[in-house]
Amino acid sequence: MSTPGRAVLVEGPRRHRLIETPTPVPGPEEALVRVHAAGLCGSDRELYEGTRAEGYVRYPIVPGHEWSGTVEAVGRDVERSLVGRRTVGEGFRNCRSCARCRAGETSLCSAGYAETGFTLPGAFADHLVLPARLLHPLPEDADPDAAALLEPAAVAAAAVLTAAPRAGERIAVVGAGTLGLLALHLLAAGDPAELMAVDPRPRAGERARKAGAHHIRRPAPDPGGHDPGGYDLVVETAGAPGSADAACRLARRGGRVVLTGIPAPGARGVDPVLLATAQLTVSGIFGAPSAAWRHAVRAFAEGALRPGELITHRLPLTAFAEAVELVGGGDPDAGKVLLVP
């Protein structure tokens, strides 16, 4: 008989409990991971509060899509050498057979949305089972706490790969939360002439400087006016009501803008006249394809990504509600929050 484990089960909006679960058994092509740590983000708070968009959550659910752990067992048709390896893993369950997957754009899989921690059991638990093909093994000496942030780092990597920054460019990052800080790490490694962060919070500005920003700017006071930035590239990570529009107004004519923040309904749109007359190239990012995961894991292994700097709280599974309140709760000292089984 297997030893029971624990998991946080969210039964519906603002209803959760800690449950005992049997240790899962990996099926064919699957791996069983013992979770070391799992991070929380704004999406987890939306899941708990019931504000996540319809179709992007399935209750009851064990949340947890940002995680690190160790492979404890593997199923049939999986390399036995994975057992004992520290690892992280992709959340999107891509089909591998649609046109987008076959083109390598796995985050655009047309088979329908399915993601660990939102529609499938996640990592706020002692164990997690997922397809072994989604694992990204880590170096033996990898910091497992820091590695739990490689999911948002992969999203930041997707934004940077899409943006294709060039040495000597002027670059701005709108938002200095987790995504913005990780994007700053990656962008700073590319030798920009200027790397500027936009955020109204003094503590966030301090973290942005540590992440590589040359200087910090508060958002423009006039949300409809032009912010004369003239930046070659602007990466938006804030997901605030007006941050997509603000990012486009920071870009030079002919510049590039990459949007990664997901705003709540009712956000202000981008002026189509500005897009046309300034001839901006605007791209959107949702999740991360496998190539971005590989890029983030490699940058982490080489020290270009330092996600451990963002962690401020480590809490047990029993403190799930407290952890949710810390995420987006306005505490200036709260950075990245981890749940540790």
Side-chain angles (χ1 to χ4, degrees):
M1 178 181 292
S2 62
T3 303
R6 303 166 306 154
V8 174
L9 181 71
V10 177
E11 298 174 299
R14 292 196 169 276
R15 291 188 292 115
H16 79 282
R17 58 193 175 98
L18 193 67
I19 61 171
E20 283 195 352
T21 61
T23 300
V25 177
E29 302 184 349
E30 291 183 333
L32 171 69
V33 174
R34 174 170 285 279
V35 177
H36 173 83
L40 287 89
C41 76
S43 296
D44 296 302
R45 181 162 181 152
E46 291 173 354
L47 179 155
Y48 183 63
E49 293 181 340
T51 58
R52 188 163 170 84
E54 185 178 357
Y56 289 90
V57 64
R58 185 178 299 146
Y59 301 106
I61 187 69
V62 176
H65 62 290
E66 307 175 4
W67 58 269
S68 68
T70 301
V71 179
E72 203 165 80
V74 295
R76 193 178 70 245
D77 300 326
V78 179
E79 288 289 336
R80 306 291 304 180
S81 61
L82 279 174
V83 176
R85 291 290 303 273
R86 287 184 176 176
T87 191
V88 291
E90 300 177 36
F92 284 5
R93 306 297 179 91
N94 54 77
C95 72
R96 296 187 290 177
S97 60
C98 71
R100 297 278 56 81
C101 283
R102 292 170 69 87
E105 299 170 337
T106 52
S107 59
L108 294 176
C109 177
S110 60
Y113 174 74
E115 185 176 4
T116 297
F118 294 110
T119 64
L120 296 160
F124 293 163
D126 290 319
H127 289 91
L128 171 68
V129 168
L130 73 165
R133 62 184 172 82
L134 298 179
L135 297 179
H136 289 265
L138 302 170
E140 290 185 5
D141 61 350
D143 177 352
D145 279 3
L149 276 66
L150 282 174
E151 191 278 340
V155 177
V160 172
L161 290 173
T162 297
R166 295 180 283 273
E169 287 193 310
R170 299 181 68 228
I171 302 175
V173 175
V174 178
T178 298
L179 275 180
L181 294 173
L182 294 169
L184 285 167
H185 285 177
L186 294 169
L187 292 164
D191 196 23
E194 180 185 349
L195 183 57
M196 187 263 291
V198 179
D199 198 291
R201 302 165 297 177
R203 186 61 59 85
E206 294 172 14
R207 293 175 179 145
R209 288 186 186 279
K210 188 175 181 181
H214 299 157
H215 59 97
I216 317 299
R217 180 190 296 182
R218 294 178 62 84
D222 178 6
H226 182 69
D227 194 342
Y231 287 88
D232 302 293
L233 167 63
V234 183
V235 179
E236 184 278 327
T237 69
S243 56
D245 180 64
C248 290
R249 295 179 186 281
L250 275 169
R252 66 166 172 81
R253 290 174 57 83
R256 307 175 325 273
V257 178
V258 180
L259 306 177
T260 69
I262 308 296
R268 186 169 67 253
V270 177
D271 183 356
V273 175
L274 173 65
L275 295 182
T277 57
Q279 300 181 57
L280 300 179
T281 299
V282 180
S283 303
I285 297 295
F286 179 62
S290 298
W293 273 91
R294 287 195 299 272
H295 186 77
V297 169
R298 184 170 59 249
F300 174 60
E302 294 175 353
L305 267 173
R306 307 176 304 281
E309 296 176 358
L310 281 62
I311 299 169
T312 59
H313 293 75
R314 297 174 82 257
L315 300 173
L317 289 179
T318 52
F320 170 71
E322 178 186 344
V324 170
E325 288 303 314
L326 282 167
V327 176
D331 182 348
D333 293 323
K336 196 64 183 178
V337 179
L338 299 184
L339 284 183
V340 181

